[in-house]
Amino acid sequence: MNGPKHKLCTKLSSTYLRKWWITIAIASILIVGGVLVACEFSVLINAIVDRMVALRPGAKTFGWWAKPPVEPHISLYIYNVTNADDFLSNGSKAIVDEVGPYVYSESWEKVNIVENDNGTLSYNLRKIYSFREDLSVGPEDDVVIVPNIPMLSATSQSKHAARFLRLAMASIMDILKIKPFVQVSVGQLLWGYEDPLLKLAKDVVPKEQKLPYEEFGLLYGKNGTSSDRVTVNTGVDDIEKYGIIDQYNGRTHLPHWTTDECNHLNGTDGSIFPPHIDHDRVLHVYDKDLCRLMPLVFEKEVMTSNEVPGYRFTPPEWVFADVESHPDNMCFCPAGQPSCSPNGLFNVSLCQYDSPIMLSFPHFYLGDESLRTQVEGISPPEKEKHQFFLDVQPKMGTTLRVRARIQINLAVSQVFDIKQVANFPDIIFPILWFEEGIDSLPNEVTDLMRFAEQVPPKIRVALIVGLFALGVALLLLSTFCLIRNSHRQSTLHLEGSNYLATAQVDMNKKQNKDTQPARY
């Protein structure tokens, strides 16, 4: 009685039903796959980006890092003094005329690259400057009148020296006919001219105290291969250290400031940063002439002309603030409170052989108004023209556009015992400001960035939708078929039971008929 029923159930379970249970399992796997893609796909893409950008010799990104496929420009604006004689003779306020731009194209290349065992690379930077008269207001031969920086540096440093030394210095300057202002060409001011004081120092100063140059120029010695040895992290072992300086000339910290935090060198050269940048990240750039790390904070989202999204980072307003406004800047006062800079200035004399050089943003942007009005002829600062900013592609950490804008000033101290500068007041005298940067990257680079930024999210959405849609469709189909099949199985079971009952009745009737006695 149980044999036919058991066979029927076994057949249904082993053939028809099994394939729908397998379909349900596949549907569940697809749905789980969709959930995993939704949660973990970004992690996978980030891992791919990390591997792609890390500095591996032979890789395309390594080649772009070693020899950037861009042509940076530096534009210089010089404050030409138009009333030098009146300023010195009768105490008139200095009048300056901003002349420029004088534009140079640059070629950057990292040379003498050595791969180290600790996941770092060491190199020297070669910068070649080429004058672009077609982009400039005039030739390099244009003549300007500017403060005599070597002389005024020497006199300012002698302010607290013995009086007889100041008098001796005055006599030497009288003999050499050195004046507080010099008339030089733009090319001489930038790349060097023979200065009588430097020439004298070469002959009389002890060898260990001699300056490493024989001429004076604001960019003297920078057109060529730098002797500075830089070691950076490749990011292969730790992507969070990608591009960050490990050592600079063998040092892991600067020697100038009062705390380790302010002496840190853990920034990049400004061309690359650890990837996956968000709005809360603080970027740090190190340049030897800045004499410190330059912090950069998020300002806004931008879009390049190549439709590559980026984040704009700028120095915070407190970066050159006085200690009253920002007490954390006290670490940049090596001799205590008296050595602190006024609001809007940064003292880099420790990096410039004790010359009283002060950095600021152009036109004293973010600085006190009194700095700008010490001389006449400097217009009020404008954010669009004078802000320092850097646009970076957040996913890959590559710089898209740069405007590094800095002004060079001379902090002059009045010294009465030196007659040549007796009428030169205490003043922050602006010399020039420059704008260095790039406008865009080649299409080959931006195409890769655009692919990394736009394609993975689309693939993620397509995979999520596809996996969920297919999984849900299969689940609904298999569930429907199972329900329908369950109903069919119940019907077959009922029909089988009726058949068996009828067969049993017929059998009983036959048995009864066979057991009845025959009638004759």
Side-chain angles (χ1 to χ4, degrees):
M1 219 168 107
N2 292 330
K5 179 180 178 181
H6 178 71
K7 287 183 178 181
L8 180 63
C9 291
T10 301
K11 182 179 179 181
L12 289 171
S13 301
S14 60
T15 56
Y16 186 78
L17 294 179
R18 183 180 298 171
K19 67 180 181 181
W20 292 114
W21 285 115
I22 293 174
T23 303
I24 290 177
I26 294 173
S28 300
I29 291 173
L30 290 174
I31 293 173
V32 171
V35 173
L36 289 176
V37 168
C39 299
E40 302 297 332
F41 188 78
S42 297
V43 176
L44 175 62
I45 294 300
N46 288 345
I48 294 173
V49 170
D50 293 349
R51 180 168 180 81
M52 181 172 60
V53 302
L55 299 176
R56 291 181 171 85
K60 182 173 290 189
T61 50
F62 179 87
W64 291 340
W65 168 80
K67 191 172 183 178
V70 296
E71 188 179 80
H73 288 82
I74 182 170
S75 302
L76 300 108
Y77 300 81
I78 300 167
Y79 293 111
N80 180 45
V81 182
T82 61
N83 67 333
D85 292 337
D86 289 341
F87 173 75
L88 291 174
S89 61
N90 57 31
S92 300
K93 183 181 287 190
I95 301 174
V96 297
D97 177 29
E98 182 180 294
V99 293
Y102 294 93
V103 182
Y104 294 81
S105 62
E106 301 178 13
S107 173
W108 299 348
E109 183 178 4
K110 297 174 179 69
V111 297
N112 305 323
I113 299 174
V114 174
E115 188 175 7
N116 304 312
D117 295 333
N118 62 344
T120 62
L121 295 167
S122 298
Y123 67 89
N124 297 87
L125 181 62
R126 176 184 293 156
K127 273 189 177 185
I128 303 299
Y129 295 82
S130 301
F131 183 63
R132 294 289 303 272
E133 188 169 352
D134 57 316
L135 301 177
S136 304
V137 296
E140 286 183 297
D141 295 335
D142 282 354
V143 175
V144 292
I145 297 174
V146 294
N148 188 334
I149 296 177
M151 174 196 183
L152 295 173
S153 296
T155 58
S156 296
Q157 291 176 33
S158 71
K159 184 172 184 177
H160 302 290
R163 185 170 184 269
F164 78 90
L165 289 177
R166 296 196 295 273
L167 295 175
M169 183 177 292
S171 299
I172 292 173
M173 291 180 178
D174 203 22
I175 294 171
L176 297 176
K177 299 180 179 179
I178 299 175
K179 297 181 179 180
F181 289 94
V182 292
Q183 182 173 295
V184 292
S185 70
V186 171
Q188 288 176 319
L189 176 64
L190 298 179
W191 305 112
Y193 62 90
E194 188 176 271
D195 180 80
L197 275 182
L198 292 180
K199 186 177 180 180
L200 178 64
K202 178 185 175 182
D203 297 329
V204 301
V205 173
K207 184 177 180 180
E208 62 275 6
Q209 297 180 10
K210 285 185 178 180
L211 298 175
Y213 47 82
E214 300 177 2
E215 295 183 338
F216 174 78
L218 293 173
L219 296 179
Y220 181 81
K222 295 185 181 298
N223 197 355
T225 302
S226 171
S227 61
D228 296 319
R229 191 70 174 162
V230 187
T231 301
V232 299
N233 289 278
T234 63
V236 173
D237 299 328
D238 185 355
I239 197 64
E240 293 184 1
K241 294 182 178 180
Y242 168 67
I244 291 178
I245 295 172
D246 181 64
Q247 291 185 10
Y248 198 94
N249 287 330
R251 292 181 178 271
T252 58
H253 289 74
L254 294 170
H256 311 303
W257 313 119
T258 60
T259 66
D260 285 343
E261 183 178 356
C262 290
N263 281 319
H264 274 160
L265 283 171
N266 55 340
T268 76
D269 65 355
S271 64
I272 56 175
F273 298 92
H276 319 304
I277 297 170
D278 57 30
H279 293 180
D280 296 326
R281 175 92 69 88
V282 177
L283 306 181
H284 291 92
V285 174
Y286 176 73
D287 184 275
K288 181 180 178 181
D289 293 328
L290 289 176
C291 205
R292 59 171 289 179
L293 282 180
M294 173 70 81
L296 303 169
V297 297
F298 174 82
E299 182 185 57
K300 63 181 180 179
E301 296 186 6
V302 296
M303 183 71 70
T304 69
S305 57
N306 305 80
E307 297 185 352
V308 177
Y311 291 170
R312 175 160 295 180
F313 283 79
T314 64
E317 293 187 1
W318 49 259
V319 68
F320 291 160
D322 55 24
V323 293
E324 288 77 16
S325 304
H326 192 72
D328 288 346
N329 283 345
M330 188 67 193
C331 64
F332 295 115
C333 308
Q337 185 76 27
S339 63
C340 293
S341 303
N343 190 52
L345 297 173
F346 185 71
N347 187 348
V348 295
S349 60
L350 292 178
C351 299
Q352 300 295 333
Y353 309 101
D354 289 331
S355 295
I357 301 296
M358 294 275 191
L359 300 183
S360 69
F361 295 118
H363 289 220
F364 300 103
Y365 175 66
L366 299 182
D368 286 344
E369 177 73 7
S370 59
L371 295 173
R372 185 178 64 84
T373 57
Q374 283 185 319
V375 299
E376 291 184 9
I378 302 180
S379 61
E382 301 177 40
K383 180 178 179 180
E384 293 74 18
K385 293 181 179 180
H386 304 131
Q387 182 190 42
F388 185 121
F389 72 83
L390 179 150
D391 295 341
V392 61
Q393 207 286 323
K395 186 173 290 294
M396 300 182 68
T398 304
T399 296
L400 299 168
R401 186 168 179 250
V402 182
R403 285 292 182 273
R405 294 162 170 156
I406 293 292
Q407 180 169 300
I408 299 174
N409 311 282
L410 185 67
V412 181
S413 297
Q414 188 172 28
V415 183
F416 294 102
D417 293 326
I418 301 177
K419 64 179 181 179
Q420 292 84 353
V421 295
N423 294 329
F424 211 118
D426 291 343
I427 187 175
I428 305 297
F429 212 106
I431 307 297
L432 64 76
W433 70 272
F434 65 85
E435 171 186 272
E436 185 175 25
I438 57 174
D439 287 318
S440 61
L441 299 178
N443 290 336
E444 181 183 13
V445 180
T446 56
D447 287 347
L448 178 62
M449 292 180 178
R450 192 163 51 248
F451 179 88
E453 186 69 33
Q454 297 177 359
V455 175
K458 294 178 181 178
I459 294 176
R460 178 175 177 268
V461 171
L463 285 174
I464 293 172
V465 173
L467 290 172
F468 269 110
L470 184 57
V472 171
L474 288 177
L475 184 62
L476 292 175
L477 178 62
S478 57
T479 302
F480 171 76
C481 291
L482 281 174
I483 293 174
R484 188 179 67 173
N485 185 71
S486 175
H487 177 69
R488 181 183 298 172
Q489 183 177 349
S490 299
T491 303
L492 289 173
H493 177 67
L494 181 58
E495 290 177 351
S497 299
N498 291 336
Y499 170 77
L500 292 174
T502 303
Q504 184 66 37
V505 170
D506 291 341
M507 186 178 294
N508 289 339
K509 286 181 179 179
K510 185 178 180 180
Q511 287 178 352
N512 291 335
K513 185 177 180 181
D514 291 340
T515 56
Q516 289 179 358
R519 294 181 181 178
Y520 298 98

